[in-house]
Amino acid sequence: TTLTGKESLPPIQIVEHDVVNGLLSIGFMASNFPQHPLWWHLAQEVARLARKDPDLYVVQATGNDLLTRVALHRSFRKEVRVLRRQIIFPFPYTHKRTRVANGCRKSAQWCAQQFPNAATVHHAAHSWASEDAFREPEDLYIRFA
């Protein structure tokens, strides 16, 4: 407990994945302890995977599965707070072609009115990769929309 009597936050906060239950998302990670051992362990695991298979796709080497495996390991259980997905992902990336997603891209004010409990909205723009290089299967939008 803090001096104000409120619950103190664990050193790391990570949000749930927006589509897949049980996964954590690399889309939002926060820490009030930048030298936390979890970050070091995560970096070591990325390096190990790169040595093991240099042709491993970037999402497999650094993505949600890896973060989930490391962050939910028993060593870090009391160190990580998992935030509800609605705080960052009020709508999943599989809805990025919908009227709501378009409305949020056009107006932050409109988006805030639609999702008053969201701290922010992840637009799933995949800015880290060329749109031509990263295409979700078309049926993904149909299944989850």
Side-chain angles (χ1 to χ4, degrees):
T1 310
T2 64
L3 294 174
T4 62
K6 295 182 179 177
E7 176 189 353
S8 58
L9 289 174
I12 297 173
Q13 292 81 48
I14 302 172
V15 75
E16 299 171 309
H17 191 271
D18 60 325
V19 175
V20 182
N21 288 329
L23 276 184
L24 300 179
S25 174
I26 59 173
F28 180 84
M29 301 175 279
S31 178
N32 58 9
F33 184 10
Q35 293 83 24
H36 193 279
L38 182 138
W39 304 127
W40 178 86
H41 187 76
L42 199 56
Q44 293 299 312
E45 187 63 4
V46 168
R48 184 189 73 77
L49 289 170
R51 284 190 305 275
K52 181 179 174 186
D53 185 357
D55 296 323
L56 197 61
Y57 180 54
V58 67
V59 173
Q60 293 171 313
T62 63
N64 301 316
D65 290 327
L66 175 62
L67 175 64
T68 303
R69 190 173 75 243
V70 171
L72 297 183
H73 188 272
R74 69 179 182 271
S75 315
F76 301 117
R77 216 166 264 146
K78 294 181 182 177
E79 303 290 312
V80 175
R81 178 180 180 195
V82 177
L83 304 173
R84 290 184 11 252
R85 66 186 66 168
Q86 291 82 1
I87 293 172
I88 304 295
F89 302 112
F91 57 89
Y93 79 89
T94 53
H95 289 81
K96 72 181 185 179
R97 295 182 184 173
T98 63
R99 181 188 65 79
V100 171
N102 288 333
C104 282
R105 277 193 288 277
K106 290 177 183 172
S107 168
Q109 184 178 11
W110 181 88
C111 197
Q113 290 171 348
Q114 301 303 306
F115 304 106
N117 297 323
T120 186
V121 175
H122 188 298
H123 293 290
H126 300 294
S127 57
W128 52 268
S130 151
E131 273 299 318
D132 293 334
F134 187 87
R135 296 252 187 244
E136 296 97 344
E138 196 64 34
D139 71 316
L140 187 66
Y141 298 106
I142 296 165
R143 278 185 288 157
F144 290 103

